Every structure is written in structure tokens, then in C-alpha cells.
Amino acid sequence: MSTYHIIDEEKINKLLIEGKKASKSEVLDIIKKARDCYGLSLEEVGVLLQVEDEDLLNELFQTARYIKETIYGNRIVLFAPLYTSNECTNNCLYCGFRMENKLLHRRTLSPEEIVHEAKAIESQGHKRILLVCGEDAKKTHIDHIVDGVTAIYENADIRRINVNAAPMTVEDFKKLKKCGIGTFQIFQETYHRETYKKMHPTGAKKDYDYRLTAVERAFQAGIDDFGIGPLLGLYDYKFDILGTLMHSQYMDQKYSVGPHTISVPRLRPALGSKLKEIPFPITDEEFKKIIAVLRLTVPYTGMILSTREAPHLRDELINLGISQISAGSRINPGGYEEDDRDATQFEVNDERSLDEMLRVIVKNGHLPSFCTACYRNHRTGEAFMELAKDAHIHEFCHPNAILTFKENLVSYASEQTKEIGEKMIKEEINKIENEKIKEETIKRIKQIEEGQKDLYF
Ligand code: SAM
Ligand code: SF4
């Protein structure tokens, strides 16, 4: 099936040409309009992506901070990836797992080994996992994923498992839905067909259209939380951000549900990569602009940042609109047991442990959240978006962040983290406006202190 109707390259190029023509006051008008939190059109995105003027960029950043604060408050959700296999029959030029990389130590975990890793992740204090694997029809087929997910739910206190895997058939997506995954995540890598073709010379991943339509099949199978994203650095970021938003708009218009999350992975060096350098390098300033533009354009869509980024930048990007980050990550199968650098997908940039990360987050005035309530209360897809847009979601998310952070402090945190964390919890409880919810939160905090777990609204 061709997908030229989903990603219209000619239109993207035109938007970028038109975008350059906007005057300073037109740019300011768009930024001002974004403050209403209704999002922006692709034409407006075309304009913002072309902004280079320092004053305008500052205005953009300030507005992104305002929207982030208005919609998400100071919460930041945490998760960790669990790599179940680095075996792969594709040959993505940029990835350490590509088939022709003979330097890589290959391994596919059994369900028991997957549980072992999940428990190690849990022992850091995580409750949310992103399962990741290469694509190999014999090794990482749907049963490998479903068995892994099921084994984790049955044997570890992990409350939400999201999956990042290759595109599947509707039948396989149904199996994934049935075993209770949260979000199905898949990155198009680049929306630019020519570049996509060059980057994916062999293997099933060659098929641009089959990949682009994966989230549609997931949706048809009942998975209404899906995540998308570009791999930034493969092609012109302005094109790929517009491609991502066009993809998002297509899903929204056709199914009334846009992506639950957009990820912003930036290309990293990888052992055995075929790329000698990043084809389209992105500076940190440009990266900040990307995050800010996305926050203005799709204010209610979660935005995920991984440990591909450096510590100082990650701390800054949280303010600009990131709503979820990974921490304490290992990106090789079995990595939480043995950190084998010759088995990883790319080079991690932020090696801080979850406990350390929690202290940094709190010191920067953010509230860590391990909440998984929406998905377990069936607040997903359209239902989630409606609640989010009415801003009711905040009423649940804030106390849930407090409760789950408290549980983390009681069960997993170091003394140092407990000390500043407890102080923050007291302050956050005082911020709850609804008296009933406040009372109930205080009651549940006591119950957590007495040993109860998994309390949420
Ligand atoms: N194998 C599946 C696939 O490609 O869709 C799923 C997992 S793959 C390990 C997850 C993502 O890692 C890819 O979609 C790609 O965007 C990202 N990735 C691959 N190589 C990377 C690199 N060198 N730097 C940063 N991200 C990379
Ligand atoms: Fe395989 Fe995914 Fe890496 Fe491509 S990005 S080589 S499909 S693991």
C-alpha cells in the first residue's frame, strides 16, 4: 500500500519555503496563539521551525515552559528500557544491532532471563518498562514479546510495559493488546523516502509504507496508545518534524486519536555503525527548538527523552516540554546484570542511576512520577485525550505522582534521596486544591508508610 497521501513531501517542502517568509511579528503572533494550548497548524510549524533570531527563540522557549507548566505541572514520569534481544535481520546503517555488524555480542533472552532483568529494573524503583528488541522472524517474533511481557507482569512488580518493536500484522497486534501492553511505540526514523531507502538497504525494514502504517494496524487491533518519532540526524530535522506532525495529524483526523507520545531520539555513535558521521547533525540549540516547537504544536501529547542525551541538556529539556524520561538505562540484552558495551545498540550519554536522577529532578523543582494509573483505569486513547484537554487529568496525575514517588522513597530510595524527597512531598500535598483529594492523599500517604503499595486515583 502506498502512503503518499499520509506524508506529502511536496507539501512539507512548500511549508518550509513559506515558513521562511514570515515576519518577526507574524512569528510572535503564532507563539502568542500557542499559549491557548489548542496546538498549531502545520503552516505555523513551518514558520516556527525556521526561526533563528535569538529573541524569537527565547520567546518560543518561554512559551514552551509555560505550556509544559500549565498542562503537566512540574511532574516528570520515569521509565527504563529492557532490551530482550539484539539479534536482527535488518541492516539499518546507523544501528549497532544491524545484521552485518560482526563486532556485536548477540543474545536473545528467555522469559526467565527477561524476568530477571525486570526485577533488576524494579529494584532501582521503576514501575514502567519499555521492552525493546531487534527484528528477527526466528528470534524476536510475537511469541517472544508476548511471553516476555506476560512473564514480567506475573513475576515482577512492574505496572506498565510499553513495547518498541518492528511493525506487525493486525493479528499479531491483537496478541500484543491481549497481553496488556501500554503503548506500542515505533519510530519512522526518517519520513523522507529517499533517505529512508538509503538507510535501510536490506531486510523487512526496507518497506517504508509497511512501517508508516504500523500504528494504524495497532489501532485497528485495539491498541489506542501508540507512540511515534523520527530518528533525528538522518535527514533535515525540519522535514522530519513536519513529517512526524503530518503523521500525527493523519491519525487524529482518521481515528480521532493522535499519538499518545512522540519521542525525540537523536542519532548516537554506535559500535559497527556504517555511518562514519551523522548525516545531518543537530546542535543542542536546534534540539531545544525542536522540543519547544513540538510542545507548542501538540500540547497534550507526551514527549519522551532517553539517555541518548547528555545530563546538563536533559535537565534543561524537562523545562521545555519533555514529560517522560528514562533513567538508569542499560541498552544491551541482560544489561542490568552485565553491562556489556560490545552488545549495546548505541552509546548512552547519561549514565546517572535512577536514585541520583531523582535527586537532580527534585533539586530542579520537578516532581518524579511512577504513575501508571491511566492505563490501568482504562483512561487511554480518546478517553485520555478528552480528559487531558479538559485539564481534568491534572486532578489525578498530581496526587498520583505524589503517591507513587512516596512509594519509591519508602521502598527503594537512598537516605539522601529520601531526605529531599520527603520535603518535596509535603510541599506538593499543600498544592492540591481540591480538599477531598488532598485529605485522601494524606490518608494514602500514611497507608504507604504502613507498607501498602500501589495506591492511586
Ligand atoms: N528493531 C525495532 C525497530 O527498529 O523498530 C525496534 C527497536 S530499535 C532497537 C529502537 C530504535 O532505536 C529505532 O527505531 C531507532 O530509532 C533507534 N536507534 C537505532 N540506532 C540508533 C543510534 N545509533 N542512535 C540513536 N538511536 C538509534
Ligand atoms: Fe534492527 Fe531496529 Fe537496529 Fe534496525 S534499528 S538494525 S531494525 S534493531
Side-chain angles (χ1 to χ4, degrees):
M1 181 190 148
S2 125
T3 55
Y4 289 93
H5 61 294
I6 305 178
I7 302 299
D8 181 346
E9 297 202 357
E10 212 174 302
K11 182 169 173 190
I12 296 182
N13 290 327
K14 265 195 201 140
L15 290 171
L16 288 172
I17 293 170
E18 287 304 310
K20 269 196 178 151
K21 297 179 187 160
S23 67
K24 214 167 169 172
S25 76
E26 282 168 329
V27 175
L28 283 171
D29 282 348
I30 296 172
I31 296 177
K32 193 164 160 226
K33 179 186 156 196
R35 284 193 167 244
D36 294 339
C37 297
Y38 290 124
L40 296 175
S41 68
L42 294 181
E43 284 71 19
E44 291 163 334
V45 175
V47 171
L48 294 188
L49 285 172
Q50 296 293 18
V51 170
E52 277 169 14
D53 177 284
E54 209 174 309
D55 294 341
L56 290 176
L57 281 176
N58 282 335
E59 202 60 41
L60 177 70
F61 295 154
Q62 261 183 36
T63 306
R65 276 187 209 107
Y66 167 81
I67 296 175
K68 155 94 205 235
E69 182 66 30
T70 307
I71 295 177
Y72 298 86
N74 61 346
R75 292 185 308 281
I76 182 86
V77 171
L78 290 134
F79 73 96
L82 193 168
Y83 279 66
T84 64
S85 172
N86 58 5
E87 300 198 66
C88 193
T89 46
N90 290 319
N91 229 337
C92 313
L93 300 189
Y94 45 83
C95 178
F97 293 176
R98 67 191 183 87
M99 192 178 77
E100 283 176 6
N101 180 11
K102 303 294 176 220
L103 303 170
L104 195 81
H105 298 166
R106 306 264 174 191
R107 185 174 175 197
T108 297
L109 303 184
S110 66
E112 293 71 32
E113 289 168 329
I114 292 174
V115 169
H116 198 81
E117 286 284 283
K119 286 190 168 163
I121 293 174
E122 184 202 326
S123 71
Q124 291 185 29
H126 281 293
K127 294 294 163 205
R128 191 184 274 248
I129 277 180
L130 173 67
L131 213 79
V132 186
C133 58
E135 178 173 14
D136 182 327
K138 293 201 183 104
K139 304 270 176 68
T140 64
H141 41 68
I142 185 67
D143 294 343
H144 164 79
I145 301 175
V146 167
D147 292 349
V149 170
T150 310
I152 298 175
Y153 279 140
E154 282 173 1
N155 297 291
D157 186 12
I158 293 295
R159 300 170 188 167
R160 176 175 177 133
I161 304 172
N162 300 330
V163 172
N164 184 321
M168 304 175 194
T169 60
V170 174
E171 286 319 303
D172 283 355
F173 275 127
K174 282 187 182 158
K175 292 183 189 167
L176 214 50
K177 164 80 185 166
K178 204 164 157 222
C179 73
I181 66 152
T183 308
F184 176 73
Q185 193 185 74
I186 184 163
F187 307 149
Q188 186 61 24
E189 321 298 14
T190 173
Y191 285 87
H192 188 251
R193 273 175 195 273
E194 263 314 296
T195 307
Y196 187 93
K197 209 167 145 190
K198 271 192 236 151
M199 294 293 159
H200 307 101
T202 57
K205 195 163 163 181
K206 259 170 73 175
D207 192 339
Y208 175 104
D209 301 306
Y210 191 64
R211 191 166 183 91
L212 189 70
T213 47
V215 290
E216 235 175 313
R217 289 190 299 282
F219 190 83
Q220 286 154 4
I223 299 175
D224 57 3
D225 269 6
F226 55 87
I228 60 172
L231 179 54
L232 295 162
L234 292 180
Y235 187 60
D236 176 11
Y237 74 85
K238 295 175 186 170
F239 184 100
D240 273 329
I241 291 301
L242 274 165
T244 307
L245 291 165
M246 216 172 230
H247 193 188
S248 159
Q249 209 174 61
Y250 168 80
M251 289 302 290
D252 207 356
Q253 282 166 359
K254 188 161 175 190
Y255 300 100
S256 303
V257 180
H260 186 65
T261 52
I262 290 182
S263 298
V264 283
R266 193 158 49 148
L267 196 56
R268 295 278 304 146
L271 172 82
S273 162
K274 261 268 184 189
L275 299 180
K276 291 293 156 260
E277 51 194 31
I278 310 267
F280 286 80
I282 295 163
T283 64
D284 287 354
E285 273 304 292
E286 286 169 331
F287 195 54
K288 278 165 60 182
K289 178 167 82 177
I290 291 170
I291 310 279
V293 170
L294 286 171
R295 187 37 73 235
L296 267 59
T297 311
V298 282
Y300 295 95
T301 304
M303 230 194 303
I304 304 180
L305 190 72
S306 71
T307 51
R308 289 173 179 88
E309 299 302 330
H312 70 280
L313 188 63
R314 295 225 305 164
D315 302 346
E316 197 178 343
L317 293 170
I318 293 174
N319 290 320
L320 288 180
I322 293 297
S323 56
Q324 281 188 39
I325 57 166
S326 49
S329 305
R330 294 280 184 273
I331 58 165
N332 60 295
Y336 293 94
E337 190 179 33
E338 190 198 344
D339 189 10
D340 178 358
R341 302 278 158 129
D342 290 336
T344 58
Q345 195 192 5
F346 49 82
E347 291 173 19
V348 163
N349 218 341
D350 184 350
E351 310 238 5
R352 292 175 290 184
S353 68
L354 175 64
D355 193 65
E356 188 182 351
M357 204 56 216
L358 289 178
R359 285 196 298 279
V360 173
I361 292 171
V362 170
K363 278 182 191 155
N364 287 337
H366 298 287
L367 173 62
S369 176
F370 295 90
C371 180
T372 54
C374 278
Y375 142 81
R376 292 155 86 208
N377 280 337
H378 306 291
R379 297 193 292 255
T380 62
E382 207 174 344
F384 171 83
M385 277 299 163
E386 269 170 27
L387 264 175
K389 286 183 182 161
D390 281 350
H392 288 310
I393 203 80
H394 188 70
E395 282 192 21
F396 303 110
C397 296
H398 183 232
N400 282 343
I402 297 175
L403 293 175
T404 53
F405 183 34
K406 175 74 185 183
E407 188 182 330
N408 179 285
L409 294 179
V410 170
S411 308
Y412 308 99
S414 65
E415 286 310 314
Q416 247 179 317
T417 307
K418 267 185 196 154
E419 198 181 314
I420 58 168
E422 290 293 354
K423 196 166 155 260
M424 171 164 239
I425 284 179
K426 282 202 187 90
E427 289 162 10
E428 290 299 323
I429 291 174
N430 283 331
K431 288 190 199 161
I432 303 176
E433 283 169 14
N434 181 317
E435 279 306 319
K436 262 197 161 156
I437 294 186
K438 191 177 191 171
E439 255 174 53
E440 189 57 34
T441 306
I442 295 171
K443 196 171 116 197
R444 292 184 189 190
I445 287 278
K446 289 217 176 76
Q447 290 169 336
I448 292 171
E449 281 167 359
E450 285 157 10
Q452 284 206 46
K453 288 186 177 203
D454 203 13
L455 301 179
Y456 58 91
F457 290 94

